[in-house]
Amino acid sequence: MADENENTPTADPATNGADNAPQIGVISQYVKDLSVENPNAPDVYQWADQPQIDVQFNIGSSKVSDEVHEVELKIEVVAKTDAGVAYQVELLYCGLFGLRNVTDEQAHPFLFAEAPRLLFPFARAVISDAVRDAGFQPLMLEPIDFTALYMQQREQMAASGETQPVGNA
């Protein structure tokens, strides 16, 4: 026979009913801004040269409320040949993330490494579709290791004596 106290929770007056466990979740994600330029159409479709692709990205985070942060993943793509710009895409893809009972020390790596990792596949699909809709072969961006980039930036900042970045990774 089982001990009748076995399933009885122990009452800890400090945590009884308290909501103090760390919680993080995705609330929403969305395209905040999208610009597609095809400045040399229709001539560009006759160019024989393969374009050189330049991809730049930036990560930002802002506090929307006490428990909600907006993470911005900005991606800029420019495809150029000797003849000129074939296309240019600028995307600002965002996500709203709920963070409860998470310290700033814990939130920063999430907001600047993990949240962008979660957003990137969706942003990559938006860019691929935008390039295809501009009349070019879809552009599949290579996966990005946001955690490694975050750690690299932290090491560089530690070496230079800087503190935690304020808004951009």
Side-chain angles (χ1 to χ4, degrees):
M1 177 176 243
D3 184 354
E4 57 186 82
N5 289 331
E6 186 176 317
N7 294 326
T8 305
T10 58
D12 182 355
T15 60
N16 189 17
D19 180 18
N20 58 7
Q23 297 176 357
I24 297 176
V26 179
I27 296 170
S28 179
Q29 55 186 358
Y30 48 92
V31 173
K32 191 169 190 174
D33 189 25
L34 175 62
S35 171
V36 181
E37 297 177 23
N38 190 350
N40 290 300
D43 297 338
V44 68
Y45 302 116
Q46 304 303 315
W47 296 351
D49 296 337
Q50 282 291 99
Q52 294 294 317
I53 309 292
D54 178 43
V55 179
Q56 300 291 321
F57 64 94
N58 197 6
I59 301 163
S61 176
S62 60
K63 199 171 199 177
V64 176
S65 69
D66 286 343
E67 295 182 347
V68 177
H69 287 76
E70 180 185 58
V71 174
E72 297 179 341
L73 180 57
K74 183 176 185 178
I75 304 173
E76 297 178 13
V77 178
V78 178
K80 292 182 182 178
T81 69
D82 290 338
V85 173
Y87 62 84
Q88 183 170 345
V89 179
E90 294 179 14
L91 172 65
L92 187 58
Y93 195 83
C94 299
L96 291 178
F97 294 88
L99 286 80
R100 178 179 296 155
N101 301 321
V102 177
T103 66
D104 288 344
E105 193 174 271
Q106 295 167 327
H108 198 269
F110 176 82
L111 296 171
F112 289 93
E114 184 62 16
R117 185 191 70 79
L118 295 171
L119 295 175
F120 183 73
F122 301 97
R124 181 169 75 170
V126 170
I127 288 180
S128 176
D129 290 348
V131 170
R132 183 201 62 220
D133 292 346
F136 300 94
Q137 289 293 316
L139 175 65
M140 289 305 296
L141 296 175
E142 293 292 324
I144 297 171
D145 187 346
F146 290 100
T147 302
L149 291 173
Y150 178 81
M151 297 304 292
Q152 180 183 14
Q153 182 188 38
R154 299 293 290 183
E155 289 171 6
Q156 289 172 349
M157 292 177 69
S160 67
E162 292 181 45
T163 59
Q164 180 169 291
V166 177
N168 294 322

